[in-house]
Amino acid sequence: MKVLILGADGYLGWPTCMYFSQRNHEVIGVDNYFRRQAGMELDCESLIPTPNLNRRAKIWQELTGKKIDIQIGDVTHYPFLLSLMRQYTPDVVIHYAEQPSAPYSMIDHEKAVFTVQNNLISTLNIAYAIKAVNLDCHLIKIGTMGEYGTPDIDIEEGWLEIEHKGRKDRFLFPRQASSLYHTTKIQDTDLLWFYVRTWGLRVTDLMQGPVYGIKTEESELDENLLTIFNYDEVFGTVLNRFIVQAIAGYPLTVFGKGEQIRGFINIKDTMQCVYLAAANPAASGELRIFNQVTETFSINQLADKVKNTGLTLGYNVEIAHIENPRVEKEKHYYNPTYTGLLEIGLEPHYLTEEVLIDLFNIVSNYQNAINVDTIFRGVKWN
Ligand SMILES: O=c1ccn([C@@H]2O[C@H](COP(=O)(O)OP(=O)(O)O[C@H]3O[C@H](CS(=O)(=O)O)[C@@H](O)[C@H](O)[C@H]3O)[C@@H](O)[C@H]2O)c(=O)[nH]1
């Protein structure tokens, strides 16, 4: 496969480039370095220093003999994207080139506009560029479980059959997000569903839960191949944050009651899922949706796990319940279905004690670089 990976410098983007390249696919990684710039602007850069994409691709080639092409540019600029599509005519486009943070989207008006503009225009441009160059190209987009929110009914994989006044039809599962970022992901799905129906695009939308972890098989080769790792309030996801907090002696920041439940996934399984989706493409004119999580936990359960592992390793870990800066349900029913990816071959890595110890060990190598000021800044939803 020839795979165009948009957002190649991000937490998932670079490991995905290596994952496909390792399996002998032709990979082109594209990024505009938004995350690096936002990290500098908000003083919340990656805990692990990561060389730029061109340098990482060079290191990868020296170690494996495999080439990853790097292109720096912004996919919201249509001529740039179209020329890439024409140059490479990929079989698969993986779209990670979105502003991925809920808190970032809630900071102020300027960042709200950026989030809407970046996430919707990038998705729209990709749909147009695929139609212009090769309608058969499979688009894999990372959606989010947050599109569904926390409804009081079971969450299906993307679709729901509804019977109304004696008639039945199949619709996208009702969506109600709890941040502007999550709302743009709903709008993305709607854009793609429209072009699937209208132009016959082939699309897989992966509704992913919060990801945790650092290493993937490929980054074991060299420290310089590790992905970016954020633990700050804006770009860090909750479990990664808790590990860093435990090591820094910062009480774990459980928001509100901590009974919020989410579906989680190890970064190694994200790689598998995206790969399985590419290897088993959606049909033309199909919007295929998978729920990309492997297990569910409440935030309290995660905090307890981190605390227990931390104590075993000799860290003095405390848990703090702080006033929730977000507007979200803190106690709710949560029962998502997530069997589709298992059916096409996913072999999950669950959150075991061993996985937690491994995370503690990697993060402890960078303990001196932890900036506790970035852990909590209190971006409020209202
Ligand atoms: O210090 C913290 C940070 C978070 N939380 C809670 O943990 C849950 C998850 O928060 P998160 O920051 O790990 O995840 P979220 O903001 O939802 O966004 C992340 O996870 C999403 C999947 S999901 O949450 O929508 O399923 C992805 O789409 C996003 O790109 C990724 O940044 C929330 O209830 C939040 O209130 C805490 O209690 N304490």
Side-chain angles (χ1 to χ4, degrees):
M1 288 181 276
K2 206 189 285 176
V3 191
L4 186 68
I5 300 178
L6 309 174
D9 195 45
Y11 176 53
L12 304 175
W14 173 246
T16 307
C17 289
M18 291 190 292
Y19 196 90
F20 278 81
S21 175
Q22 179 65 21
R23 285 154 186 80
N24 298 316
H25 300 289
E26 196 178 328
V27 176
I28 307 101
V30 183
D31 209 289
N32 65 349
Y33 289 141
F34 157 74
R35 277 291 285 276
R36 288 179 192 253
Q37 277 151 15
M40 277 193 284
E41 183 198 335
L42 301 173
D43 189 21
C44 59
E45 291 167 271
S46 169
L47 179 67
I48 300 172
T50 48
N52 69 37
L53 273 177
N54 278 302
R55 283 211 250 145
R56 283 193 277 181
K58 227 175 249 165
I59 296 165
W60 174 250
Q61 191 169 0
E62 279 161 15
L63 292 169
T64 64
K66 297 174 198 293
K67 187 167 184 285
I68 296 176
D69 269 15
I70 299 298
Q71 297 281 352
I72 301 304
D74 187 340
V75 299
T76 66
H77 182 52
Y78 188 60
F80 168 71
L81 178 66
L82 188 60
S83 77
L84 280 185
M85 287 291 291
R86 288 198 168 127
Q87 182 182 346
Y88 292 104
T89 57
D91 305 301
V92 186
V93 173
I94 302 176
H95 180 19
Y96 292 124
E98 300 215 357
Q99 189 300 92
S101 157
Y104 185 94
S105 73
M106 303 299 290
I107 290 177
D108 58 22
H109 176 256
E110 185 201 336
K111 294 191 171 31
V113 171
F114 175 81
T115 303
V116 171
Q117 210 264 343
N118 184 79
N119 293 3
L120 298 190
I121 302 303
S122 61
T123 305
L124 182 72
N125 284 354
I126 294 163
Y128 261 86
I130 287 177
K131 175 158 185 282
V133 174
N134 173 19
L135 196 54
D136 208 35
C137 173
H138 179 206
L139 170 58
I140 301 177
K141 194 207 68 160
I142 288 285
T144 166
M145 287 298 287
E147 292 183 40
Y148 305 121
T150 51
D152 214 20
I153 58 172
D154 292 354
I155 296 172
E156 302 303 327
E157 289 200 73
W159 302 93
L160 185 66
E161 185 153 297
I162 294 183
E163 192 176 337
H164 180 63
K165 296 187 177 170
R167 299 177 68 82
K168 272 190 202 160
D169 205 347
R170 184 173 171 259
F171 296 91
L172 283 169
F173 192 90
R175 285 130 342 122
Q176 41 189 4
S178 65
S179 80
L180 177 70
Y181 152 74
H182 288 96
T183 302
T184 62
K185 304 294 277 197
I186 294 175
Q187 294 168 325
D188 274 355
T189 302
D190 281 333
L191 276 179
L192 293 177
W193 177 215
F194 172 69
Y195 288 118
V196 163
R197 296 192 314 268
T198 309
W199 293 342
L201 289 189
R202 55 170 89 225
V203 178
T204 300
D205 202 347
L206 298 169
M207 303 293 171
Q208 188 168 239
V211 183
Y212 61 85
I214 305 174
K215 279 191 181 166
T216 57
E217 227 174 86
E218 291 71 32
S219 62
E220 299 277 359
L221 287 176
D222 190 304
E223 200 185 12
N224 284 312
L225 296 176
L226 286 170
T227 188
I228 54 168
F229 183 81
N230 285 85
Y231 58 97
D232 58 277
E233 180 181 321
V234 176
F235 289 110
T237 48
V238 62
L239 180 58
N240 289 349
R241 279 165 59 66
F242 283 177
I243 303 282
V244 172
Q245 293 169 6
I247 288 174
Y250 193 107
L252 308 189
T253 54
V254 172
F255 291 169
K257 291 195 187 81
E259 289 178 46
Q260 308 90 301
I261 303 170
R262 295 290 182 272
F264 292 87
I265 184 164
N266 188 313
I267 190 168
K268 291 181 177 167
D269 291 346
T270 297
M271 300 302 112
Q272 278 192 68
C273 292
V274 173
Y275 192 79
L276 285 165
N280 303 278
S284 291
E286 182 191 12
L287 170 62
R288 180 178 58 166
I289 301 178
F290 291 122
N291 292 345
Q292 189 159 304
V293 304
T294 59
E295 49 195 335
T296 61
F297 298 109
S298 71
I299 304 305
N300 286 334
Q301 284 173 319
L302 282 187
D304 287 341
K305 278 176 185 287
V306 171
K307 180 174 178 174
N308 293 337
T309 305
L311 293 177
T312 327
L313 296 174
Y315 294 101
N316 179 20
V317 188
E318 284 171 28
I319 295 176
H321 284 263
I322 55 180
E323 191 191 332
N324 197 338
R326 305 184 180 199
V327 177
E328 62 183 356
K329 285 187 201 153
E330 290 175 11
K331 194 170 169 58
H332 57 87
Y333 180 77
Y334 201 61
N335 189 24
T337 306
Y338 43 93
T339 51
L341 286 159
L342 296 170
E343 279 159 19
I344 60 168
L346 171 66
E347 291 175 13
H349 295 78
Y350 294 111
L351 184 59
T352 58
E353 171 89 3
E354 198 189 335
V355 168
L356 282 164
I357 291 175
D358 200 38
L359 275 170
F360 268 89
N361 287 339
I362 307 164
V363 172
S364 67
N365 295 333
Y366 302 90
Q367 182 165 1
N368 292 336
I370 298 172
N371 175 5
V372 290
D373 294 341
T374 74
I375 290 176
F376 189 74
R377 52 189 292 158
V379 178
K380 283 201 163 46
W381 262 224
N382 61 20

